[in-house]
Amino acid sequence: MTSGVALGSRAVAGRKVTARKAIASKPRASVAVRASGDRKWNFSAGPAVLPLDVLEDAKEDLINYKGTGMSVMEMSHRGKDFMKIAEEAEADLRELIGIPANYKVLFLQGGASSQFSAIPMNLAPEGGVADFILTGAWGKKAYEEAGKYMTTNLAASSKDSNFSTIPDVSDWKLTKDAKFVHICSNETIGGVEFKEVPDTGDVPLVADMSSNYLSKPIDVEKYGIIYGGVQKNIGPAGMAIVIVREDLIGKTHPLCPTMFDYKLMADNDSMYNTPPCWTMYTSGLVFKKLIKMGGLEAVEKMNEEKAKILYDAIDGSDGYYNNPVDKKYRSLMNVPFTLGGGEDLEKKFLKEAAAAGFESLKGHRSVGGARASIYNAMPKEGVQALVDFMADFKAAN
Amino acid sequence: MTSGVALGSRAVAGRKVTARKAIASKPRASVAVRASGDRKWNFSAGPAVLPLDVLEDAKEDLINYKGTGMSVMEMSHRGKDFMKIAEEAEADLRELIGIPANYKVLFLQGGASSQFSAIPMNLAPEGGVADFILTGAWGKKAYEEAGKYMTTNLAASSKDSNFSTIPDVSDWKLTKDAKFVHICSNETIGGVEFKEVPDTGDVPLVADMSSNYLSKPIDVEKYGIIYGGVQKNIGPAGMAIVIVREDLIGKTHPLCPTMFDYKLMADNDSMYNTPPCWTMYTSGLVFKKLIKMGGLEAVEKMNEEKAKILYDAIDGSDGYYNNPVDKKYRSLMNVPFTLGGGEDLEKKFLKEAAAAGFESLKGHRSVGGARASIYNAMPKEGVQALVDFMADFKAAN
């Protein structure tokens, strides 16, 4: 075990530490790498861990989907077999979230980054002003892209605190008659998450939920548009899901690419052209699983428990590990942390964690440090294995 | 077997027919549905059949890709495991086609339809004229979309012959100093295919190869841009592959969505944001398979043999089956055909073919009739099984 090597290569004083190691080293090494097929504990920020039973179902049916004689990857998107998959995916998602009838659900290719352009082109075909709340890197990208198509107003930003908090709604400088107000409901890199839905009155609220989509209940009616790439908390990369209030669409910017036209996509049930079928199918399996788990309330409870284990471990480490985010707005999904001991120790930590079977714990290249993304599909035992490893590492280093 | 049912439900005169049926019905039923896992012969126009061994490899590695402890669907696109997959996919595609160093290869989300917008936004940032050669429905879509961004000139069209041929190059009314000339190298619906690369001089030739990509050698240097969705002849839906001469890119229309910016994508090795990882991976497996098969010359030879079997069967049926396309330009990939006996007989044919395990033989909803798409991954025995069934049906009806 890696911690054991670390122990041997360094003079560690004190019987207590040695005792911890003696107890911890062997069983914990076997916890880190899962028994079933030697799968790792995968803390990647996206693409990210998927539920093992969903992967098992996909594998089982890969060559011949439920007796159809074809893989889902080979089916005509207009054939009855795939149409059923697509219809069930939408129906299940509507049930899971509780999406009102006056909201359209679009399954679109291209990820959230494509929506950064599509949103202004659909909501502000003749320009106008949009308000942006900046709480991190992704909100900033949406803000910059929208500036190509309309006037953008930086209504609030937590840049001064290095994006470690959410600016108080009372301080937002909103524009009267704005076309929309944009937030990123969870910043994947900074690990800061909205805990309440801001009230923007008659101005449609637009939220990028890429990294906390389906992690907790969503009160759809408080939004004009909810959107996000699926590759963090839902399915394999290659699709964005857009939930849009139908009265907001119908007219696009004259230069809007056809494939970005929400109305056209809605009128064609997201099948104006060939959709990303495999990603829709796998996402659909995830929707069914979440419904079976008890829906988004149950999912939220599980995520709160998992996040508590990790934040408690960080907060209880006397500054050995540190999370920089305002406690009120800490993300349940992405937990960045640094080591008080500095960069060299961080490198050692990341190297040993990787060797022990913890995957993709490195922080985003723009901020460094470590980051554990603990999306819906990360089991509680994976988080427990991580905090055990963190305790071992602390004891040994 | 369906033909057997047809035989029983209808008075068929003549010993010869009965004899044919007696011989054909049993063995052919077992040919139609493949032994291995009861997979059908899938003639879908896209998404379409994939090589069985590629699916088997994908299945084998689905939960734990080559000991990495993760599914390819779960890997960080910036981690070393996926980076290797992506690098190999590009290297293998370059080797397979023989792509010169001054051409960029882009793996982009959104299918060919997104490129209908991206091409004018990248090649004509300040407008100008583009020439379009219309030989079917897809070329028409590209033509209409480009009209949003620039002046479009219908340089030639085979509409008068119901898109059953390719207009003679000598009749094309090309524009001097056009930004590009656009062709659709194979029209999926009409089944008409360019057999030679037209010489457009200094004006870049842009070709939508969605439905014959990698079906035969490609002389890349004769093109400015080659593009196509992968879901017909390469991999699962969710990606377009764009091969673009590097001097053509670097400036985009001011309203070009960031995700459509070829230069940005090229500079980021198609990873400005999360790419469609699973589709890239599966496509990469196909590239390796085609290299192993002997490259695109070998693939073309195989496709010619397959197409000959089917066209010979149609042409030898004394008008029972008919392909409307000019023989010089018949597609090796998509073979539409009608039944001389009329629509009711066509319906019967399609119904019985489906019951016998031939999948997606129905013609495109815009043209009716039947269509057999016989892409790279359709084995010769699948085509043989189809022509056997066609002969049986003819004999019995």
Side-chain angles (χ1 to χ4, degrees):
Chain A
M1 182 177 168
T2 312
S3 311
V5 172
L7 189 69
S9 67
R10 206 189 127 136
V12 178
R15 196 171 152 248
K16 195 179 160 203
V17 169
T18 315
R20 270 193 82 110
K21 290 306 310 161
I23 297 162
S25 61
K26 286 206 173 158
R28 283 179 188 174
S30 58
V31 167
V33 175
R34 274 190 266 192
S36 159
D38 285 333
R39 278 173 50 85
K40 288 182 183 168
W41 293 121
N42 180 359
F43 293 93
S44 171
V49 59
L50 290 168
L52 184 55
D53 48 358
V54 163
L55 292 175
E56 282 165 346
D57 285 353
K59 179 173 179 172
E60 171 71 23
D61 285 339
L62 190 129
I63 290 178
N64 184 348
Y65 175 74
K66 303 205 182 303
T68 57
M70 300 173 280
S71 173
V72 171
M73 289 183 264
E74 301 176 300
M75 289 178 178
S76 166
H77 57 300
R78 306 208 190 271
K80 66 174 174 15
D81 299 309
F82 187 75
M83 287 300 290
K84 186 163 179 278
I85 290 171
E87 281 160 16
E88 282 187 18
E90 178 173 341
D92 288 340
L93 184 65
R94 284 187 173 275
E95 177 188 338
L96 180 64
I97 299 182
I99 301 174
N102 65 323
Y103 283 75
K104 298 289 187 186
V105 175
L106 310 177
F107 296 102
L108 305 176
Q109 293 189 55
S113 294
S114 291
Q115 303 312 315
F116 296 164
S117 326
I119 288 163
M121 287 180 127
N122 279 275
L123 292 200
E126 290 155 358
V129 183
D131 290 327
F132 283 79
I133 314 303
L134 260 55
T135 56
W138 289 104
K140 186 161 177 276
K141 285 203 174 194
Y143 166 67
E144 286 166 354
E145 185 73 2
K148 287 183 184 170
Y149 309 100
M150 63 192 308
T151 306
T152 46
N153 171 45
L154 196 54
S157 166
S158 57
K159 197 181 172 206
D160 288 348
S161 74
N162 202 22
F163 296 126
S164 64
T165 188
I166 305 277
D168 235 45
V169 179
S170 58
D171 295 332
W172 294 8
K173 292 184 175 52
L174 297 174
T175 309
K176 196 178 167 300
D177 299 327
K179 298 294 183 190
F180 60 89
V181 177
H182 185 278
I183 63 171
C184 178
S185 65
N186 183 71
E187 284 282 357
T188 321
I189 297 173
V192 58
E193 183 173 18
F194 276 81
K195 299 298 175 182
E196 283 176 14
V197 186
D199 180 0
T200 54
D202 289 339
V203 178
L205 179 64
V206 175
D208 175 0
M209 287 196 184
S210 297
S211 52
N212 68 348
Y213 229 155
L214 308 187
S215 67
K216 57 184 180 183
I218 304 172
D219 192 350
V220 176
E221 288 188 320
K222 292 186 175 171
Y223 299 88
I225 294 180
I226 293 160
Y227 73 103
V230 298
Q231 76 279 7
K232 295 171 186 291
N233 213 13
I234 299 179
M239 188 168 76
I241 299 176
V242 177
I243 302 168
V244 55
R245 214 176 68 210
E246 62 185 358
D247 64 286
L248 296 176
I249 59 175
K251 218 179 142 197
T252 56
H253 191 286
L255 298 188
C256 181
T258 294
M259 293 303 299
F260 281 10
D261 182 337
Y262 287 165
K263 183 67 166 51
L264 187 76
M265 292 298 144
D267 289 347
N268 286 278
D269 294 324
S270 305
M271 293 219 198
Y272 176 78
N273 75 338
T274 316
C277 303
W278 179 256
T279 300
M280 278 179 80
Y281 157 68
T282 317
S283 300
L285 293 180
V286 170
F287 302 154
K288 283 189 195 300
K289 182 189 165 72
L290 298 181
I291 290 171
K292 220 167 148 185
M293 279 173 65
L296 298 183
E297 283 84 3
V299 170
E300 179 180 39
K301 191 167 169 287
M302 175 195 74
N303 285 328
E304 284 172 344
E305 286 170 12
K306 277 155 50 186
K308 187 173 187 307
I309 292 169
L310 184 47
Y311 284 119
D312 282 354
I314 292 168
D315 294 343
S317 73
D318 295 324
Y320 193 86
Y321 301 107
N322 300 289
N323 168 273
V325 179
D326 185 346
K327 286 190 182 177
K328 278 190 299 185
Y329 299 114
R330 281 173 163 183
S331 169
L332 294 186
M333 297 283 102
N334 310 99
V335 183
F337 58 94
T338 52
L339 271 70
E343 270 187 35
D344 284 350
L345 191 64
E346 253 167 34
K347 272 187 199 155
K348 188 165 190 257
F349 172 82
L350 291 169
K351 196 177 163 192
E352 294 188 9
F358 296 99
E359 174 66 30
S360 292
L361 273 177
K362 205 174 166 190
H364 189 270
R365 58 211 151 108
S366 65
V367 293
R371 173 179 51 173
S373 294
I374 49 175
Y375 297 121
N376 288 350
M378 170 57 66
K380 197 169 167 176
E381 57 187 317
V383 180
Q384 191 58 54
L386 174 62
V387 301
D388 288 348
F389 175 83
M390 289 165 70
D392 288 353
F393 184 85
K394 175 172 182 269
N397 294 278
Chain B
M1 181 175 172
T2 313
S3 313
V5 172
L7 189 67
S9 67
R10 207 192 126 135
V12 178
R15 196 171 151 250
K16 193 178 158 204
V17 169
T18 314
R20 268 196 84 108
K21 289 306 311 160
I23 296 160
S25 62
K26 286 208 172 151
R28 284 181 188 171
S30 59
V31 169
V33 173
R34 273 188 266 193
S36 159
D38 285 333
R39 279 172 51 85
K40 289 184 183 166
W41 292 122
N42 181 359
F43 293 92
S44 171
V49 60
L50 291 167
L52 184 55
D53 49 357
V54 163
L55 292 176
E56 282 166 347
D57 285 353
K59 180 173 178 172
E60 171 71 25
D61 286 339
L62 189 129
I63 290 177
N64 184 349
Y65 175 75
K66 304 208 181 299
T68 57
M70 298 173 281
S71 173
V72 171
M73 290 183 262
E74 302 175 300
M75 289 177 177
S76 167
H77 56 300
R78 307 209 188 271
K80 68 174 172 18
D81 299 309
F82 187 75
M83 288 300 291
K84 185 162 179 281
I85 289 171
E87 281 160 15
E88 282 188 17
E90 179 173 342
D92 288 340
L93 184 65
R94 285 188 173 275
E95 177 188 339
L96 180 63
I97 299 183
I99 301 174
N102 64 325
Y103 283 75
K104 298 290 186 185
V105 175
L106 310 177
F107 297 101
L108 304 176
Q109 293 189 55
S113 294
S114 291
Q115 303 312 315
F116 296 164
S117 326
I119 288 162
M121 287 180 126
N122 280 275
L123 292 201
E126 288 154 359
V129 182
D131 289 328
F132 283 79
I133 314 304
L134 260 54
T135 55
W138 289 105
K140 187 161 176 275
K141 285 203 176 197
Y143 166 66
E144 286 167 354
E145 185 73 4
K148 287 183 185 171
Y149 308 101
M150 63 192 308
T151 306
T152 46
N153 170 45
L154 196 55
S157 167
S158 57
K159 196 181 174 208
D160 287 348
S161 74
N162 204 21
F163 296 126
S164 64
T165 188
I166 305 276
D168 237 44
V169 179
S170 58
D171 295 333
W172 295 9
K173 293 185 175 53
L174 297 175
T175 309
K176 195 178 168 299
D177 299 327
K179 298 293 181 188
F180 59 91
V181 178
H182 185 278
I183 62 170
C184 177
S185 64
N186 183 71
E187 283 282 357
T188 322
I189 297 173
V192 59
E193 182 173 18
F194 277 81
K195 299 297 174 183
E196 283 177 13
V197 186
D199 180 0
T200 55
D202 288 340
V203 178
L205 178 65
V206 175
D208 176 359
M209 287 197 185
S210 297
S211 52
N212 69 347
Y213 229 156
L214 308 188
S215 67
K216 58 185 178 183
I218 304 171
D219 192 350
V220 176
E221 287 187 322
K222 293 187 173 169
Y223 299 88
I225 294 182
I226 293 160
Y227 73 103
V230 298
Q231 77 278 5
K232 296 171 186 292
N233 213 14
I234 300 179
M239 188 167 77
I241 300 177
V242 177
I243 302 169
V244 54
R245 212 175 69 208
E246 62 186 358
D247 63 286
L248 295 175
I249 59 175
K251 216 179 142 197
T252 57
H253 191 287
L255 298 188
C256 181
T258 294
M259 293 302 298
F260 282 10
D261 182 338
Y262 288 164
K263 182 68 166 51
L264 188 74
M265 291 299 144
D267 290 347
N268 286 278
D269 294 323
S270 306
M271 292 217 200
Y272 176 77
N273 76 337
T274 316
C277 303
W278 179 257
T279 300
M280 279 180 81
Y281 156 68
T282 316
S283 300
L285 293 180
V286 171
F287 302 154
K288 284 189 194 298
K289 182 188 166 70
L290 297 182
I291 290 171
K292 221 167 148 185
M293 279 173 64
L296 298 184
E297 282 85 3
V299 170
E300 180 180 38
K301 191 166 169 287
M302 174 193 75
N303 286 327
E304 284 172 344
E305 287 170 11
K306 280 156 46 186
K308 187 173 187 309
I309 293 170
L310 184 48
Y311 284 118
D312 280 355
I314 292 169
D315 294 342
S317 74
D318 294 324
Y320 194 86
Y321 301 107
N322 301 288
N323 169 273
V325 179
D326 185 347
K327 286 190 181 176
K328 279 191 296 184
Y329 300 114
R330 281 174 163 181
S331 170
L332 294 187
M333 298 284 102
N334 310 99
V335 183
F337 58 95
T338 52
L339 270 72
E343 270 189 35
D344 284 351
L345 191 64
E346 252 167 34
K347 271 186 198 156
K348 188 165 190 259
F349 172 82
L350 291 169
K351 198 177 161 190
E352 293 188 10
F358 297 99
E359 174 66 31
S360 292
L361 274 177
K362 206 175 165 189
H364 190 269
R365 59 213 149 104
S366 65
V367 294
R371 174 180 50 176
S373 294
I374 50 174
Y375 297 120
N376 287 352
M378 170 57 65
K380 197 169 169 177
E381 58 186 316
V383 180
Q384 190 58 54
L386 174 63
V387 302
D388 289 347
F389 175 84
M390 289 165 70
D392 289 352
F393 184 85
K394 176 172 181 269
N397 293 278

